Amino acid sequence: MGAETFVIAGGGTGGHLYPGIAIAEELLRRRPGAAIVFAGAGLPLERQILDRHGFDRLAIRSGGWVGKSWIGRLSGALRAVTGVVQSIGWLWKRRARAVIGVGGYASGPMMMAAVLLRIPTMIQEQNYQPGLTNRMLAPWVRRIALPFEETRHAFGGRGEVTGNPIRAEFRSARRKTRSETFQVLIFGGSQGARRLNTAVVDALDHMANARLGLRITHGTGPADHDRVAAAFADRGFDVQVLPYITEIREAYERADLVVARAGASSVSEIAACGKASILVPLPNAAHDHQRWNARKLQEAGAAVVIEEKDLSGERLARTILDLRNEPNRVAAMEKSALALAHPEAAGRIADLIEEMIAW
């Protein structure tokens, strides 16, 4: 008999993959001989992230519904049905012990196949406001892991509040020692954020007089790298412009301030690393979940939130420089962020999985 198999279903974005990786790491720590397979949409980003972490991948047919025309929804539904049939065959062959859905339409077919085969299933919701796929799956799965107590109402009162799982590397992030140079980490998620990148470029002239006291690390996403790098090139800033920040924990450790979107993984990592932040929620995120995620940090005093409609280079520059000039405020924001962290979340989710498969 081969190694016991666990499936992490979901993908498409780093925001879905990274919590799954954190769960997988904890399962492997407890069960060193286990096989962990990620079932996603087969996108290049999934390959890039999962191959770097050494996990097997499985591409399953799937299709999204949110924001689609009726023709698009019908096409997505047909692809999802095909994906369910594909998943049933794979699960039957591998005899998976459990399937854990981490959200997004890519998780749907594999999760439904597991439900039909009566394989133990769990969904792990990352956002304050749950996505459509997890809300549809909720009545059928055995366990639900929640990021916040307030999220429970969306699942009819069901679920265990575990917090969002973060990768092991973030649980050992070192605290920063202050220096005269104010270090700013900027990124817009795994694919970058053009609107945020543009605001940063527009902010440069407004920060020119302070540039000698700033050090910037900017993850632009691959599509916008050359444009942003060229904007920085002639302005004399101490900057590192990268299409993708692979050494992200080290970047967090160096940072005094993080400027980012408000995806679930980003806000969880910001909290775990105890960082002050400026958050710019993606306005068209499904179910407005980024605004709710950002609001949670803002209400705790851990972040400044700038809505995209209010975002300008001048305002972003002013907010960065105001925080640089208020070290006590930054220190208070860091303390508030750390209080929101759930470093034990992956372990608590693994406990639920082990309880589930012991039934």
Side-chain angles (χ1 to χ4, degrees), residues 11-95:
T13 69
H16 288 130
L17 289 172
Y18 286 126
I21 290 170
I23 295 168
E25 289 174 341
E26 181 62 21
L27 286 173
L28 286 176
R29 188 187 69 80
R30 298 180 181 205
R31 298 168 177 261
I36 310 288
V37 179
F38 280 75
L43 300 177
L45 179 67
E46 296 170 7
R47 181 173 62 251
Q48 177 186 355
I49 293 174
L50 294 173
D51 287 0
R52 189 169 68 248
H53 287 83
F55 289 108
D56 291 335
R57 295 176 282 106
L58 174 67
I60 297 294
R61 295 273 292 176
S62 57
W65 294 358
V66 177
K68 304 285 187 179
S69 66
W70 71 267
I71 295 177
R73 292 180 183 182
L74 178 60
S75 176
L78 292 173
R79 288 197 301 272
V81 170
T82 302
V84 171
V85 174
Q86 179 187 1
S87 299
I88 287 174
W90 190 90
L91 288 170
W92 184 262
K93 181 179 179 180
R94 289 295 294 263
R95 304 290 183 184

Side-chain angles (χ1 to χ4, degrees), residues 96-306:
R97 294 296 306 279
V99 179
I100 300 95
V102 291
Y105 69 84
S107 70
M110 179 61 75
M111 291 294 292
M112 282 307 304
V115 168
L116 292 171
L117 292 174
R118 297 189 178 182
I119 294 170
T121 50
M122 167 192 284
I123 54 176
Q124 189 275 315
E125 176 58 53
Q126 296 121 34
N127 293 297
Y128 190 102
Q129 288 283 35
L132 176 62
T133 300
N134 275 355
R135 286 189 282 117
M136 291 176 65
L137 290 168
W140 308 100
V141 301
R142 294 192 188 178
R143 306 301 288 265
I144 303 172
L146 304 174
F148 308 111
E149 179 64 39
E150 295 91 332
T151 310
R152 196 192 301 271
H153 78 278
F155 295 111
R158 291 187 65 204
E160 306 283 343
V161 179
T162 61
N164 268 324
I166 55 169
R167 288 166 284 166
E169 61 181 307
F170 291 102
R171 298 199 292 271
S172 59
R174 295 170 296 182
R175 306 293 296 148
K176 179 155 190 321
T177 301
R178 294 277 182 254
S179 68
E180 292 185 1
T181 302
F182 192 74
Q183 301 205 39
V184 184
L185 169 62
I186 305 168
F187 61 91
S190 50
Q191 294 298 297
R194 186 172 180 84
R195 181 69 182 84
L196 179 58
N197 291 341
T198 296
V200 172
V201 169
D202 292 344
L204 296 181
D205 289 338
H206 298 285
M207 298 191 295
N209 292 336
R211 69 184 183 278
L212 297 181
L214 297 173
R215 182 173 298 151
I216 298 171
T217 300
H218 189 163
T220 62
D224 223 10
H225 174 262
D226 291 347
R227 178 178 76 98
V228 176
F232 272 106
D234 299 326
R235 287 178 165 88
F237 282 84
D238 182 356
V239 64
Q240 184 180 29
V241 183
L242 301 167
Y244 186 82
I245 303 173
T246 55
E247 304 298 329
I248 187 64
R249 190 198 74 179
E250 290 79 3
Y252 274 120
E253 289 177 335
R254 292 190 298 267
D256 294 290
L257 177 68
V258 177
V259 181
R261 288 295 195 188
S265 288
S266 295
V267 298
S268 296
E269 291 167 1
I270 287 167
C273 295
K275 295 299 172 180
S277 60
I278 300 170
L279 299 177
V280 184
L282 180 66
N284 59 347
H287 311 292
D288 209 20
H289 68 262
Q290 287 208 10
R291 183 175 286 111
W292 288 96
N293 293 343
R295 189 176 299 173
K296 187 72 176 180
L297 267 68
Q298 183 181 46
E299 290 174 351
V304 175
V305 176
I306 302 177

